[in-house]
Amino acid sequence: MLPWRLPVLALSALFLTLSAIHLVIQFLGPDSWSRPTQILLMPALTLVVLAATRWPRPRPVKLVLVALFFSWLGDSLPALVEGDLAFLLMVAGFLVAQVVYVAAFWPYRDHSVLHHRRWLLAPYVGVVSALVWVCAPHAEGLLIPVLLYGLVLGLMAVTATGVGPWAAVGGALFLLSDALIALRAFAPGFAMPHDGFWVMSTYVTAQALIVLGVLKRVRAFD
């Protein structure tokens, strides 16, 4: 085993351990422990990316690091305020993260479903359209940011298919995770047992798979 792989494995184990602890808390409680563990997840994943790559890092890797930072802001800033402002801060952080992810995936768009097997665009368009149809009537003053975020999120998931299978699954899971958040926030009567667990499990898995997909694409593990 190459020496530089040891820190990657150790930091990956740390990320997986933190993720497991957070998901157990999400499933069993108490809720007061959820946010402190959540804000550690993206920094831990960032350390994995930094350990797995060397300077000068390829542009997609740099963009992934930026996206992880804004994802961390989306995880962290809502704890500082309440109500609609907390939701807007979360959306703002993740909106920037999604835009940056699109920029990271864009060079590989010729390999995505935008150009190959275009019939696979249908599920993405269908999910985003259904979410808008269900959530828009109840979004009120948040309608514009919600619509914008939905469109960018869908584009991120679509362009992720060009990076490779790992990133494609990650993009789809990110779409699913945020769909659960949107339904919880704007769909009257929507209820899922342990919904926080399902949101976070799909979110954490999505981020990890996107990172893995990009690293494999730039051959960081070779």
Side-chain angles (χ1 to χ4, degrees):
M1 180 179 294
L2 295 175
W4 69 269
R5 289 178 181 260
L6 293 176
V8 177
L9 293 175
L11 291 168
S12 297
L14 173 64
F15 169 72
L16 292 173
T17 300
L18 289 172
S19 298
I21 292 171
H22 178 71
L23 293 177
V24 169
I25 292 171
Q26 283 284 354
F27 197 84
L28 299 177
D31 289 342
S32 59
W33 292 6
S34 175
R35 185 71 68 177
T37 52
Q38 182 174 342
I39 64 176
L40 296 175
L41 296 175
M42 292 306 103
L45 189 55
T46 296
L47 291 176
V48 174
V49 177
L50 291 173
T53 56
R54 294 292 180 269
W55 185 269
R57 292 180 174 89
R59 183 173 180 271
V61 173
K62 293 177 182 177
L63 290 172
V64 164
L65 291 170
V66 174
L68 291 176
F69 171 74
F70 280 99
S71 296
W72 174 75
L73 290 181
D75 286 335
S76 306
L77 291 180
L80 304 177
V81 294
E82 296 179 352
D84 286 351
L85 181 56
F87 186 82
L88 282 172
L89 287 175
M90 180 187 70
V91 170
F94 282 106
L95 176 61
V96 177
Q98 302 300 350
V99 170
V100 176
Y101 270 138
V102 170
F105 304 157
W106 195 249
Y108 311 111
R109 64 190 180 279
D110 289 347
H111 303 284
S112 74
V113 295
L114 290 171
H115 294 274
H116 299 279
R117 295 181 294 177
R118 289 180 176 172
W119 59 272
L120 289 174
L121 281 170
Y124 295 96
V125 174
V127 169
V128 173
S129 299
L131 281 173
V132 170
W133 182 72
V134 170
C135 298
H138 310 282
E140 299 179 349
L142 298 175
L143 178 60
I144 299 302
V146 167
L147 289 177
L148 178 60
Y149 184 78
L151 292 174
V152 175
L153 176 65
L155 180 60
M156 181 280 300
V158 167
T159 54
T161 62
V163 179
W166 293 109
V169 175
L173 285 176
F174 218 140
L175 178 58
L176 174 59
S177 178
D178 283 356
L180 294 175
I181 294 175
L183 290 172
R184 181 174 62 185
F186 301 115
F190 177 81
M192 175 182 289
H194 304 292
D195 57 346
F197 170 83
W198 297 112
V199 167
M200 289 305 301
S201 60
T202 49
Y203 165 68
V204 172
T205 305
Q207 293 278 30
L209 290 178
I210 287 172
V211 164
L212 179 60
V214 171
L215 291 179
K216 282 185 170 293
R217 185 71 183 192
V218 301
R219 301 184 183 277
F221 291 144
D222 287 355

